[in-house]
Amino acid sequence: SQQGEEDPQALSIQEGENATMNCSYKTSINNLQWYRQNSGRGLVHLILIRSNEREKHSGRLRVTLDTSKKSSSLLITASRAADTASYFCATESRAQKLVFGQGTRLTINP
Amino acid sequence: SQTIHQWPATLVQPVGSPLSLECTVEGTSNPNLYWYRQAAGRGLQLLFYSVGIGQISSEVPQNLSASRPQDRQFILSSKKLLLSDSGFYLCAWSQGLAGGSTDTQYFGPGTRLTVL
C-alpha cells in the first residue's frame, strides 16, 4: 500500500530557479526520507528528517516536516541541469521498512 | 566503505523460465536487506526484506521468492516467470538500529528484467 504521495507528479523549471516538491502521508511516522533517482539507476539517499524535527538543511536542499498535517516538502535552491531526476519521499512507520511514494519527475531546463 | 552489488544489470527471459537475481553487500555486517520492484515511471514496491540469515519476510504474495544464504547475500528467485514480472528490481541494505528503526537505505544499481 502507498503511504507517501508526492506532488506534483512532474515539474519542469528553468535552471537557477527553486524547485519545491511535496509529500503527504497517512499514518504516524518515525522518520521521513527523500531519495533521488537518475533514469535507470538506483536510488540515492538525500536527507532524513525525524518525526520530532521540523526542518533540515543539506547544501542546496531544505526539507520541512509538518506532522500535524502529515506532510513534508523538499526545496532545491538554485537548481542545476544535473538536478534533473525523479525524487521520492519514503516514510518509516513500521520497524525496518520504508514505504515509498510514486515520485516527482523534475526537469531542469538549461 | 560499504558497497552493494547487483547482477546481472539487464536480463531478458522468456515466460515460464526460472529467475535468479543476486545482491551482495560489502563492508558491513548483519545488514537489513531489501528487494524492491519498480514499474516504469512508478514508485518502489517492497517485495521482501530480511533482518538476518534465513529470515525472510514477504510483503506481496506473488510468483517470486527470496533467500539469504549468507549474511551479506540476498537472492531473488522465481521458478516460472510471468509477463507481469517485468520491471526494474532494486536491492537495498540498511543498518538496523537499536529499537528497530530503519536508518538510511542504500541501493544497488538495479536489474532491468524483461519477460517476453
Side-chain angles (χ1 to χ4, degrees), chain A residues 31 33 35 37 40-43 45 48 88 92 95-98 100-102, chain B residues 32 34 36 38 42-43 46 49 59 88 90 100-105 107-109:
Chain A
N31 65 62
Q33 302 179 36
Y35 288 80
Q37 183 182 33
R41 301 292 194 94
L43 277 71
H45 179 260
L48 180 154
F88 295 89
E92 189 214 346
Q96 314 290 350
K97 296 190 294 183
L98 293 178
F100 286 81
Q102 296 295 304
Chain B
N32 296 334
Y34 308 84
Y36 292 90
Q38 185 180 31
R42 306 279 289 177
L46 179 63
Y49 72 99
E59 288 296 297
F88 191 49
L90 289 158
S101 179
T102 298
D103 202 12
T104 300
Q105 289 191 12
F107 285 80

PDB file of all heavy atoms in Angstrom, chain A residues 31 33 35 37 40-43 45 48 88 92 95-98 100-102, chain B residues 32 34 36 38 42-43 46 49 59 88 90 100-105 107-109:
ATOM      1  N   ASN A  31      10.263   8.461  10.886  1.00  0.00           N
ATOM      2  CA  ASN A  31      11.041   9.422  10.125  1.00  0.00           C
ATOM      3  C   ASN A  31      10.559   9.465   8.693  1.00  0.00           C
ATOM      4  O   ASN A  31       9.786   8.597   8.256  1.00  0.00           O
ATOM      5  CB  ASN A  31      12.543   9.103  10.179  1.00  0.00           C
ATOM      6  CG  ASN A  31      12.905   7.788   9.516  1.00  0.00           C
ATOM      7  OD1 ASN A  31      12.700   7.612   8.313  1.00  0.00           O
ATOM      8  ND2 ASN A  31      13.452   6.865  10.285  1.00  0.00           N
ATOM      9  N   GLN A  33      12.134  10.255   4.689  1.00  0.00           N
ATOM     10  CA  GLN A  33      13.376  10.401   3.937  1.00  0.00           C
ATOM     11  C   GLN A  33      13.069  10.817   2.500  1.00  0.00           C
ATOM     12  O   GLN A  33      12.017  10.480   1.961  1.00  0.00           O
ATOM     13  CB  GLN A  33      14.144   9.065   3.937  1.00  0.00           C
ATOM     14  CG  GLN A  33      14.459   8.569   5.336  1.00  0.00           C
ATOM     15  CD  GLN A  33      15.189   7.239   5.336  1.00  0.00           C
ATOM     16  OE1 GLN A  33      16.007   6.986   4.465  1.00  0.00           O
ATOM     17  NE2 GLN A  33      14.888   6.399   6.315  1.00  0.00           N
ATOM     18  N   TYR A  35      14.726  10.638  -1.417  1.00  0.00           N
ATOM     19  CA  TYR A  35      15.700   9.966  -2.259  1.00  0.00           C
ATOM     20  C   TYR A  35      15.617  10.553  -3.665  1.00  0.00           C
ATOM     21  O   TYR A  35      14.567  11.053  -4.088  1.00  0.00           O
ATOM     22  CB  TYR A  35      15.415   8.460  -2.342  1.00  0.00           C
ATOM     23  CG  TYR A  35      15.728   7.691  -1.091  1.00  0.00           C
ATOM     24  CD1 TYR A  35      14.845   7.685  -0.013  1.00  0.00           C
ATOM     25  CD2 TYR A  35      16.902   6.950  -0.979  1.00  0.00           C
ATOM     26  CE1 TYR A  35      15.126   6.979   1.141  1.00  0.00           C
ATOM     27  CE2 TYR A  35      17.194   6.229   0.173  1.00  0.00           C
ATOM     28  CZ  TYR A  35      16.296   6.252   1.229  1.00  0.00           C
ATOM     29  OH  TYR A  35      16.583   5.552   2.368  1.00  0.00           O
ATOM     30  N   GLN A  37      16.555   9.620  -7.856  1.00  0.00           N
ATOM     31  CA  GLN A  37      16.844   8.541  -8.783  1.00  0.00           C
ATOM     32  C   GLN A  37      17.065   9.124 -10.169  1.00  0.00           C
ATOM     33  O   GLN A  37      16.149   9.715 -10.743  1.00  0.00           O
ATOM     34  CB  GLN A  37      15.707   7.513  -8.827  1.00  0.00           C
ATOM     35  CG  GLN A  37      16.002   6.333  -9.745  1.00  0.00           C
ATOM     36  CD  GLN A  37      14.857   5.341  -9.825  1.00  0.00           C
ATOM     37  OE1 GLN A  37      13.690   5.719  -9.743  1.00  0.00           O
ATOM     38  NE2 GLN A  37      15.171   4.061  -9.958  1.00  0.00           N
ATOM     39  N   GLY A  40      17.024   5.079 -14.826  1.00  0.00           N
ATOM     40  CA  GLY A  40      17.647   3.772 -14.989  1.00  0.00           C
ATOM     41  C   GLY A  40      18.680   3.415 -13.930  1.00  0.00           C
ATOM     42  O   GLY A  40      19.407   2.443 -14.094  1.00  0.00           O
ATOM     43  N   ARG A  41      18.705   4.185 -12.849  1.00  0.00           N
ATOM     44  CA  ARG A  41      19.696   3.930 -11.812  1.00  0.00           C
ATOM     45  C   ARG A  41      19.021   3.591 -10.483  1.00  0.00           C
ATOM     46  O   ARG A  41      17.811   3.666 -10.338  1.00  0.00           O
ATOM     47  CB  ARG A  41      20.563   5.189 -11.613  1.00  0.00           C
ATOM     48  CG  ARG A  41      21.302   5.634 -12.854  1.00  0.00           C
ATOM     49  CD  ARG A  41      22.376   4.648 -13.263  1.00  0.00           C
ATOM     50  NE  ARG A  41      23.301   5.187 -14.228  1.00  0.00           N
ATOM     51  CZ  ARG A  41      24.461   5.763 -13.900  1.00  0.00           C
ATOM     52  NH1 ARG A  41      24.819   5.869 -12.643  1.00  0.00           N
ATOM     53  NH2 ARG A  41      25.251   6.220 -14.830  1.00  0.00           N
ATOM     54  N   GLY A  42      19.856   3.241  -9.511  1.00  0.00           N
ATOM     55  CA  GLY A  42      19.347   3.035  -8.171  1.00  0.00           C
ATOM     56  C   GLY A  42      19.055   4.358  -7.490  1.00  0.00           C
ATOM     57  O   GLY A  42      19.350   5.423  -8.012  1.00  0.00           O
ATOM     58  N   LEU A  43      18.446   4.275  -6.312  1.00  0.00           N
ATOM     59  CA  LEU A  43      18.110   5.482  -5.568  1.00  0.00           C
ATOM     60  C   LEU A  43      19.273   5.916  -4.690  1.00  0.00           C
ATOM     61  O   LEU A  43      20.026   5.087  -4.190  1.00  0.00           O
ATOM     62  CB  LEU A  43      16.883   5.239  -4.678  1.00  0.00           C
ATOM     63  CG  LEU A  43      15.527   5.363  -5.362  1.00  0.00           C
ATOM     64  CD1 LEU A  43      15.276   4.215  -6.309  1.00  0.00           C
ATOM     65  CD2 LEU A  43      14.423   5.470  -4.325  1.00  0.00           C
ATOM     66  N   HIS A  45      20.152   8.308  -1.341  1.00  0.00           N
ATOM     67  CA  HIS A  45      19.577   8.986  -0.187  1.00  0.00           C
ATOM     68  C   HIS A  45      20.016  10.444  -0.163  1.00  0.00           C
ATOM     69  O   HIS A  45      21.193  10.757  -0.366  1.00  0.00           O
ATOM     70  CB  HIS A  45      20.030   8.287   1.095  1.00  0.00           C
ATOM     71  CG  HIS A  45      19.517   8.921   2.333  1.00  0.00           C
ATOM     72  ND1 HIS A  45      20.272   9.766   3.105  1.00  0.00           N
ATOM     73  CD2 HIS A  45      18.308   8.843   2.933  1.00  0.00           C
ATOM     74  CE1 HIS A  45      19.561  10.182   4.133  1.00  0.00           C
ATOM     75  NE2 HIS A  45      18.362   9.629   4.059  1.00  0.00           N
ATOM     76  N   LEU A  48      17.286  12.736   5.701  1.00  0.00           N
ATOM     77  CA  LEU A  48      16.352  12.088   6.616  1.00  0.00           C
ATOM     78  C   LEU A  48      15.933  13.107   7.657  1.00  0.00           C
ATOM     79  O   LEU A  48      16.777  13.809   8.217  1.00  0.00           O
ATOM     80  CB  LEU A  48      17.005  10.873   7.279  1.00  0.00           C
ATOM     81  CG  LEU A  48      16.203  10.046   8.288  1.00  0.00           C
ATOM     82  CD1 LEU A  48      16.727   8.609   8.325  1.00  0.00           C
ATOM     83  CD2 LEU A  48      16.240  10.623   9.688  1.00  0.00           C
ATOM     84  N   PHE A  88      11.828  10.930  -4.620  1.00  0.00           N
ATOM     85  CA  PHE A  88      10.861  10.124  -3.880  1.00  0.00           C
ATOM     86  C   PHE A  88      10.935  10.438  -2.395  1.00  0.00           C
ATOM     87  O   PHE A  88      12.028  10.594  -1.842  1.00  0.00           O
ATOM     88  CB  PHE A  88      11.163   8.629  -4.051  1.00  0.00           C
ATOM     89  CG  PHE A  88      10.997   8.125  -5.461  1.00  0.00           C
ATOM     90  CD1 PHE A  88      12.053   8.162  -6.349  1.00  0.00           C
ATOM     91  CD2 PHE A  88       9.787   7.598  -5.882  1.00  0.00           C
ATOM     92  CE1 PHE A  88      11.916   7.703  -7.644  1.00  0.00           C
ATOM     93  CE2 PHE A  88       9.635   7.126  -7.176  1.00  0.00           C
ATOM     94  CZ  PHE A  88      10.701   7.182  -8.054  1.00  0.00           C
ATOM     95  N   GLU A  92       8.903   5.868   7.254  1.00  0.00           N
ATOM     96  CA  GLU A  92       9.070   4.687   8.078  1.00  0.00           C
ATOM     97  C   GLU A  92       8.061   4.752   9.199  1.00  0.00           C
ATOM     98  O   GLU A  92       8.108   5.634  10.050  1.00  0.00           O
ATOM     99  CB  GLU A  92      10.474   4.593   8.665  1.00  0.00           C
ATOM    100  CG  GLU A  92      10.689   3.249   9.338  1.00  0.00           C
ATOM    101  CD  GLU A  92      11.571   3.311  10.553  1.00  0.00           C
ATOM    102  OE1 GLU A  92      12.241   4.331  10.748  1.00  0.00           O
ATOM    103  OE2 GLU A  92      11.584   2.335  11.321  1.00  0.00           O
ATOM    104  N   ALA A  95       8.607  -0.893  11.865  1.00  0.00           N
ATOM    105  CA  ALA A  95      10.045  -1.104  12.039  1.00  0.00           C
ATOM    106  C   ALA A  95      10.670  -1.798  10.842  1.00  0.00           C
ATOM    107  O   ALA A  95      10.106  -2.722  10.270  1.00  0.00           O
ATOM    108  CB  ALA A  95      10.273  -1.936  13.295  1.00  0.00           C
ATOM    109  N   GLN A  96      11.831  -1.333  10.472  1.00  0.00           N
ATOM    110  CA  GLN A  96      12.690  -1.953   9.459  1.00  0.00           C
ATOM    111  C   GLN A  96      12.213  -1.750   8.028  1.00  0.00           C
ATOM    112  O   GLN A  96      12.834  -2.255   7.118  1.00  0.00           O
ATOM    113  CB  GLN A  96      12.827  -3.478   9.696  1.00  0.00           C
ATOM    114  CG  GLN A  96      13.107  -3.888  11.116  1.00  0.00           C
ATOM    115  CD  GLN A  96      14.493  -3.509  11.579  1.00  0.00           C
ATOM    116  OE1 GLN A  96      15.335  -3.103  10.793  1.00  0.00           O
ATOM    117  NE2 GLN A  96      14.714  -3.595  12.874  1.00  0.00           N
ATOM    118  N   LYS A  97      11.106  -1.043   7.800  1.00  0.00           N
ATOM    119  CA  LYS A  97      10.636  -0.909   6.427  1.00  0.00           C
ATOM    120  C   LYS A  97      10.307   0.535   6.087  1.00  0.00           C
ATOM    121  O   LYS A  97       9.818   1.291   6.906  1.00  0.00           O
ATOM    122  CB  LYS A  97       9.382  -1.756   6.207  1.00  0.00           C
ATOM    123  CG  LYS A  97       9.627  -3.240   6.366  1.00  0.00           C
ATOM    124  CD  LYS A  97       8.435  -4.039   5.904  1.00  0.00           C
ATOM    125  CE  LYS A  97       7.235  -3.801   6.799  1.00  0.00           C
ATOM    126  NZ  LYS A  97       6.097  -4.637   6.391  1.00  0.00           N
ATOM    127  N   LEU A  98      10.589   0.882   4.832  1.00  0.00           N
ATOM    128  CA  LEU A  98      10.200   2.176   4.288  1.00  0.00           C
ATOM    129  C   LEU A  98       9.107   1.973   3.254  1.00  0.00           C
ATOM    130  O   LEU A  98       9.080   0.964   2.562  1.00  0.00           O
ATOM    131  CB  LEU A  98      11.383   2.865   3.604  1.00  0.00           C
ATOM    132  CG  LEU A  98      12.544   3.326   4.469  1.00  0.00           C
ATOM    133  CD1 LEU A  98      13.625   3.933   3.586  1.00  0.00           C
ATOM    134  CD2 LEU A  98      12.076   4.321   5.507  1.00  0.00           C
ATOM    135  N   PHE A 100       7.566   3.902  -0.055  1.00  0.00           N
ATOM    136  CA  PHE A 100       7.901   4.970  -0.988  1.00  0.00           C
ATOM    137  C   PHE A 100       6.667   5.507  -1.694  1.00  0.00           C
ATOM    138  O   PHE A 100       5.719   4.769  -1.962  1.00  0.00           O
ATOM    139  CB  PHE A 100       8.883   4.450  -2.042  1.00  0.00           C
ATOM    140  CG  PHE A 100      10.266   4.254  -1.527  1.00  0.00           C
ATOM    141  CD1 PHE A 100      10.614   3.121  -0.816  1.00  0.00           C
ATOM    142  CD2 PHE A 100      11.239   5.215  -1.747  1.00  0.00           C
ATOM    143  CE1 PHE A 100      11.893   2.939  -0.330  1.00  0.00           C
ATOM    144  CE2 PHE A 100      12.522   5.046  -1.273  1.00  0.00           C
ATOM    145  CZ  PHE A 100      12.856   3.909  -0.556  1.00  0.00           C
ATOM    146  N   GLY A 101       6.716   6.791  -2.029  1.00  0.00           N
ATOM    147  CA  GLY A 101       5.692   7.387  -2.875  1.00  0.00           C
ATOM    148  C   GLY A 101       5.986   7.120  -4.336  1.00  0.00           C
ATOM    149  O   GLY A 101       6.929   6.415  -4.688  1.00  0.00           O
ATOM    150  N   GLN A 102       5.142   7.713  -5.200  1.00  0.00           N
ATOM    151  CA  GLN A 102       5.261   7.497  -6.632  1.00  0.00           C
ATOM    152  C   GLN A 102       6.332   8.375  -7.274  1.00  0.00           C
ATOM    153  O   GLN A 102       6.739   8.140  -8.402  1.00  0.00           O
ATOM    154  CB  GLN A 102       3.917   7.762  -7.318  1.00  0.00           C
ATOM    155  CG  GLN A 102       2.821   6.800  -6.890  1.00  0.00           C
ATOM    156  CD  GLN A 102       3.122   5.387  -7.313  1.00  0.00           C
ATOM    157  OE1 GLN A 102       3.338   5.097  -8.493  1.00  0.00           O
ATOM    158  NE2 GLN A 102       3.157   4.471  -6.354  1.00  0.00           N
TER     159      GLN A 102
ATOM    160  N   ASN B  32      20.266  -5.161   7.286  1.00  0.00           N
ATOM    161  CA  ASN B  32      18.925  -5.462   6.803  1.00  0.00           C
ATOM    162  C   ASN B  32      18.999  -5.409   5.275  1.00  0.00           C
ATOM    163  O   ASN B  32      19.642  -4.517   4.716  1.00  0.00           O
ATOM    164  CB  ASN B  32      17.913  -4.431   7.292  1.00  0.00           C
ATOM    165  CG  ASN B  32      17.757  -4.429   8.799  1.00  0.00           C
ATOM    166  OD1 ASN B  32      18.001  -5.432   9.461  1.00  0.00           O
ATOM    167  ND2 ASN B  32      17.350  -3.304   9.340  1.00  0.00           N
ATOM    168  N   TYR B  34      16.829  -5.725   1.429  1.00  0.00           N
ATOM    169  CA  TYR B  34      15.512  -5.485   0.835  1.00  0.00           C
ATOM    170  C   TYR B  34      15.548  -5.752  -0.673  1.00  0.00           C
ATOM    171  O   TYR B  34      16.538  -5.445  -1.333  1.00  0.00           O
ATOM    172  CB  TYR B  34      15.083  -4.023   1.054  1.00  0.00           C
ATOM    173  CG  TYR B  34      15.167  -3.541   2.482  1.00  0.00           C
ATOM    174  CD1 TYR B  34      16.369  -3.080   3.002  1.00  0.00           C
ATOM    175  CD2 TYR B  34      14.042  -3.539   3.305  1.00  0.00           C
ATOM    176  CE1 TYR B  34      16.449  -2.638   4.319  1.00  0.00           C
ATOM    177  CE2 TYR B  34      14.109  -3.098   4.611  1.00  0.00           C
ATOM    178  CZ  TYR B  34      15.322  -2.644   5.111  1.00  0.00           C
ATOM    179  OH  TYR B  34      15.390  -2.212   6.415  1.00  0.00           O
ATOM    180  N   TYR B  36      13.143  -4.617  -3.934  1.00  0.00           N
ATOM    181  CA  TYR B  36      12.044  -3.793  -4.416  1.00  0.00           C
ATOM    182  C   TYR B  36      11.853  -4.042  -5.915  1.00  0.00           C
ATOM    183  O   TYR B  36      12.788  -4.390  -6.624  1.00  0.00           O
ATOM    184  CB  TYR B  36      12.352  -2.299  -4.259  1.00  0.00           C
ATOM    185  CG  TYR B  36      12.427  -1.788  -2.849  1.00  0.00           C
ATOM    186  CD1 TYR B  36      13.626  -1.796  -2.147  1.00  0.00           C
ATOM    187  CD2 TYR B  36      11.300  -1.255  -2.213  1.00  0.00           C
ATOM    188  CE1 TYR B  36      13.706  -1.289  -0.857  1.00  0.00           C
ATOM    189  CE2 TYR B  36      11.371  -0.741  -0.927  1.00  0.00           C
ATOM    190  CZ  TYR B  36      12.576  -0.766  -0.257  1.00  0.00           C
ATOM    191  OH  TYR B  36      12.644  -0.266   1.021  1.00  0.00           O
ATOM    192  N   GLN B  38      10.243  -1.878  -9.298  1.00  0.00           N
ATOM    193  CA  GLN B  38       9.764  -0.579  -9.766  1.00  0.00           C
ATOM    194  C   GLN B  38       9.252  -0.721 -11.189  1.00  0.00           C
ATOM    195  O   GLN B  38      10.004  -1.077 -12.097  1.00  0.00           O
ATOM    196  CB  GLN B  38      10.897   0.449  -9.713  1.00  0.00           C
ATOM    197  CG  GLN B  38      10.466   1.853 -10.062  1.00  0.00           C
ATOM    198  CD  GLN B  38      11.617   2.842  -9.986  1.00  0.00           C
ATOM    199  OE1 GLN B  38      12.763   2.506 -10.221  1.00  0.00           O
ATOM    200  NE2 GLN B  38      11.300   4.092  -9.622  1.00  0.00           N
ATOM    201  N   ARG B  42       7.134   4.637 -12.055  1.00  0.00           N
ATOM    202  CA  ARG B  42       6.381   4.474 -10.815  1.00  0.00           C
ATOM    203  C   ARG B  42       7.309   4.427  -9.601  1.00  0.00           C
ATOM    204  O   ARG B  42       8.523   4.460  -9.730  1.00  0.00           O
ATOM    205  CB  ARG B  42       5.576   3.167 -10.874  1.00  0.00           C
ATOM    206  CG  ARG B  42       4.683   3.049 -12.089  1.00  0.00           C
ATOM    207  CD  ARG B  42       3.405   3.803 -11.902  1.00  0.00           C
ATOM    208  NE  ARG B  42       2.545   3.131 -10.931  1.00  0.00           N
ATOM    209  CZ  ARG B  42       1.372   3.614 -10.538  1.00  0.00           C
ATOM    210  NH1 ARG B  42       0.944   4.767 -11.015  1.00  0.00           N
ATOM    211  NH2 ARG B  42       0.630   2.959  -9.668  1.00  0.00           N
ATOM    212  N   GLY B  43       6.678   4.327  -8.446  1.00  0.00           N
ATOM    213  CA  GLY B  43       7.444   4.220  -7.220  1.00  0.00           C
ATOM    214  C   GLY B  43       7.906   2.804  -6.967  1.00  0.00           C
ATOM    215  O   GLY B  43       7.746   1.912  -7.792  1.00  0.00           O
ATOM    216  N   LEU B  46       7.914  -2.721  -2.196  1.00  0.00           N
ATOM    217  CA  LEU B  46       8.731  -3.637  -1.403  1.00  0.00           C
ATOM    218  C   LEU B  46       8.245  -5.061  -1.618  1.00  0.00           C
ATOM    219  O   LEU B  46       7.062  -5.360  -1.439  1.00  0.00           O
ATOM    220  CB  LEU B  46       8.648  -3.265   0.078  1.00  0.00           C
ATOM    221  CG  LEU B  46       9.443  -4.143   1.043  1.00  0.00           C
ATOM    222  CD1 LEU B  46      10.938  -4.067   0.754  1.00  0.00           C
ATOM    223  CD2 LEU B  46       9.153  -3.747   2.487  1.00  0.00           C
ATOM    224  N   TYR B  49      11.989  -8.462   2.637  1.00  0.00           N
ATOM    225  CA  TYR B  49      13.063  -7.897   3.432  1.00  0.00           C
ATOM    226  C   TYR B  49      13.549  -8.947   4.417  1.00  0.00           C
ATOM    227  O   TYR B  49      12.831  -9.903   4.749  1.00  0.00           O
ATOM    228  CB  TYR B  49      12.650  -6.604   4.135  1.00  0.00           C
ATOM    229  CG  TYR B  49      11.687  -6.760   5.284  1.00  0.00           C
ATOM    230  CD1 TYR B  49      12.132  -6.775   6.598  1.00  0.00           C
ATOM    231  CD2 TYR B  49      10.312  -6.844   5.046  1.00  0.00           C
ATOM    232  CE1 TYR B  49      11.239  -6.888   7.648  1.00  0.00           C
ATOM    233  CE2 TYR B  49       9.426  -6.953   6.091  1.00  0.00           C
ATOM    234  CZ  TYR B  49       9.891  -6.972   7.378  1.00  0.00           C
ATOM    235  OH  TYR B  49       8.998  -7.089   8.425  1.00  0.00           O
ATOM    236  N   GLU B  59       6.279  -9.276   1.448  1.00  0.00           N
ATOM    237  CA  GLU B  59       5.292  -8.199   1.522  1.00  0.00           C
ATOM    238  C   GLU B  59       4.124  -8.405   0.583  1.00  0.00           C
ATOM    239  O   GLU B  59       3.015  -7.972   0.856  1.00  0.00           O
ATOM    240  CB  GLU B  59       5.964  -6.856   1.204  1.00  0.00           C
ATOM    241  CG  GLU B  59       6.864  -6.377   2.316  1.00  0.00           C
ATOM    242  CD  GLU B  59       6.085  -6.085   3.575  1.00  0.00           C
ATOM    243  OE1 GLU B  59       5.226  -5.188   3.562  1.00  0.00           O
ATOM    244  OE2 GLU B  59       6.309  -6.779   4.588  1.00  0.00           O
ATOM    245  N   PHE B  88      12.007  -3.186 -13.006  1.00  0.00           N
ATOM    246  CA  PHE B  88      13.340  -2.807 -12.538  1.00  0.00           C
ATOM    247  C   PHE B  88      13.437  -3.255 -11.085  1.00  0.00           C
ATOM    248  O   PHE B  88      12.666  -2.811 -10.236  1.00  0.00           O
ATOM    249  CB  PHE B  88      13.494  -1.292 -12.679  1.00  0.00           C
ATOM    250  CG  PHE B  88      14.887  -0.784 -12.491  1.00  0.00           C
ATOM    251  CD1 PHE B  88      15.958  -1.361 -13.150  1.00  0.00           C
ATOM    252  CD2 PHE B  88      15.137   0.307 -11.665  1.00  0.00           C
ATOM    253  CE1 PHE B  88      17.247  -0.873 -12.988  1.00  0.00           C
ATOM    254  CE2 PHE B  88      16.425   0.797 -11.496  1.00  0.00           C
ATOM    255  CZ  PHE B  88      17.481   0.210 -12.157  1.00  0.00           C
ATOM    256  N   LEU B  90      15.398  -3.628  -7.584  1.00  0.00           N
ATOM    257  CA  LEU B  90      16.407  -2.940  -6.791  1.00  0.00           C
ATOM    258  C   LEU B  90      16.617  -3.652  -5.465  1.00  0.00           C
ATOM    259  O   LEU B  90      15.662  -4.008  -4.782  1.00  0.00           O
ATOM    260  CB  LEU B  90      15.977  -1.497  -6.524  1.00  0.00           C
ATOM    261  CG  LEU B  90      16.006  -0.568  -7.746  1.00  0.00           C
ATOM    262  CD1 LEU B  90      15.083   0.619  -7.541  1.00  0.00           C
ATOM    263  CD2 LEU B  90      17.421  -0.091  -7.996  1.00  0.00           C
ATOM    264  N   GLY B 100      14.795  -0.998  16.443  1.00  0.00           N
ATOM    265  CA  GLY B 100      14.141  -1.425  15.225  1.00  0.00           C
ATOM    266  C   GLY B 100      13.869  -0.334  14.223  1.00  0.00           C
ATOM    267  O   GLY B 100      13.211  -0.565  13.221  1.00  0.00           O
ATOM    268  N   SER B 101      14.367   0.867  14.442  1.00  0.00           N
ATOM    269  CA  SER B 101      14.109   1.947  13.486  1.00  0.00           C
ATOM    270  C   SER B 101      15.028   1.812  12.294  1.00  0.00           C
ATOM    271  O   SER B 101      16.201   1.499  12.444  1.00  0.00           O
ATOM    272  CB  SER B 101      14.316   3.300  14.153  1.00  0.00           C
ATOM    273  OG  SER B 101      14.089   4.353  13.232  1.00  0.00           O
ATOM    274  N   THR B 102      14.493   2.019  11.115  1.00  0.00           N
ATOM    275  CA  THR B 102      15.285   1.919   9.896  1.00  0.00           C
ATOM    276  C   THR B 102      16.010   3.226   9.644  1.00  0.00           C
ATOM    277  O   THR B 102      15.399   4.286   9.657  1.00  0.00           O
ATOM    278  CB  THR B 102      14.379   1.614   8.695  1.00  0.00           C
ATOM    279  OG1 THR B 102      13.750   0.365   8.896  1.00  0.00           O
ATOM    280  CG2 THR B 102      15.182   1.570   7.418  1.00  0.00           C
ATOM    281  N   ASP B 103      17.302   3.127   9.425  1.00  0.00           N
ATOM    282  CA  ASP B 103      18.073   4.294   9.030  1.00  0.00           C
ATOM    283  C   ASP B 103      18.056   4.376   7.515  1.00  0.00           C
ATOM    284  O   ASP B 103      17.267   3.738   6.852  1.00  0.00           O
ATOM    285  CB  ASP B 103      19.488   4.160   9.599  1.00  0.00           C
ATOM    286  CG  ASP B 103      20.182   5.490   9.701  1.00  0.00           C
ATOM    287  OD1 ASP B 103      19.533   6.541   9.564  1.00  0.00           O
ATOM    288  OD2 ASP B 103      21.404   5.477   9.920  1.00  0.00           O
ATOM    289  N   THR B 104      18.963   5.114   6.977  1.00  0.00           N
ATOM    290  CA  THR B 104      19.071   5.280   5.537  1.00  0.00           C
ATOM    291  C   THR B 104      19.190   3.930   4.842  1.00  0.00           C
ATOM    292  O   THR B 104      19.866   3.030   5.330  1.00  0.00           O
ATOM    293  CB  THR B 104      20.316   6.115   5.238  1.00  0.00           C
ATOM    294  OG1 THR B 104      20.183   7.371   5.881  1.00  0.00           O
ATOM    295  CG2 THR B 104      20.494   6.298   3.746  1.00  0.00           C
ATOM    296  N   GLN B 105      18.539   3.821   3.690  1.00  0.00           N
ATOM    297  CA  GLN B 105      18.722   2.638   2.861  1.00  0.00           C
ATOM    298  C   GLN B 105      19.646   2.994   1.701  1.00  0.00           C
ATOM    299  O   GLN B 105      19.546   4.069   1.117  1.00  0.00           O
ATOM    300  CB  GLN B 105      17.375   2.127   2.342  1.00  0.00           C
ATOM    301  CG  GLN B 105      16.543   1.500   3.442  1.00  0.00           C
ATOM    302  CD  GLN B 105      15.330   0.741   2.934  1.00  0.00           C
ATOM    303  OE1 GLN B 105      15.193   0.474   1.745  1.00  0.00           O
ATOM    304  NE2 GLN B 105      14.449   0.371   3.854  1.00  0.00           N
ATOM    305  N   PHE B 107      21.005   1.792  -1.999  1.00  0.00           N
ATOM    306  CA  PHE B 107      20.511   0.991  -3.102  1.00  0.00           C
ATOM    307  C   PHE B 107      21.607   0.538  -4.055  1.00  0.00           C
ATOM    308  O   PHE B 107      22.600   1.238  -4.284  1.00  0.00           O
ATOM    309  CB  PHE B 107      19.470   1.796  -3.897  1.00  0.00           C
ATOM    310  CG  PHE B 107      18.143   1.900  -3.215  1.00  0.00           C
ATOM    311  CD1 PHE B 107      17.946   2.818  -2.197  1.00  0.00           C
ATOM    312  CD2 PHE B 107      17.106   1.055  -3.573  1.00  0.00           C
ATOM    313  CE1 PHE B 107      16.719   2.900  -1.536  1.00  0.00           C
ATOM    314  CE2 PHE B 107      15.873   1.143  -2.929  1.00  0.00           C
ATOM    315  CZ  PHE B 107      15.684   2.053  -1.913  1.00  0.00           C
ATOM    316  N   GLY B 108      21.390  -0.655  -4.611  1.00  0.00           N
ATOM    317  CA  GLY B 108      22.236  -1.127  -5.677  1.00  0.00           C
ATOM    318  C   GLY B 108      21.844  -0.486  -6.995  1.00  0.00           C
ATOM    319  O   GLY B 108      20.878   0.282  -7.064  1.00  0.00           O
ATOM    320  N   PRO B 109      22.564  -0.807  -8.056  1.00  0.00           N
ATOM    321  CA  PRO B 109      22.311  -0.188  -9.360  1.00  0.00           C
ATOM    322  C   PRO B 109      21.077  -0.726 -10.065  1.00  0.00           C
ATOM    323  O   PRO B 109      20.623  -0.137 -11.047  1.00  0.00           O
ATOM    324  CB  PRO B 109      23.580  -0.506 -10.151  1.00  0.00           C
ATOM    325  CG  PRO B 109      24.101  -1.758  -9.522  1.00  0.00           C
ATOM    326  CD  PRO B 109      23.764  -1.661  -8.077  1.00  0.00           C
TER     327      PRO B 109
END
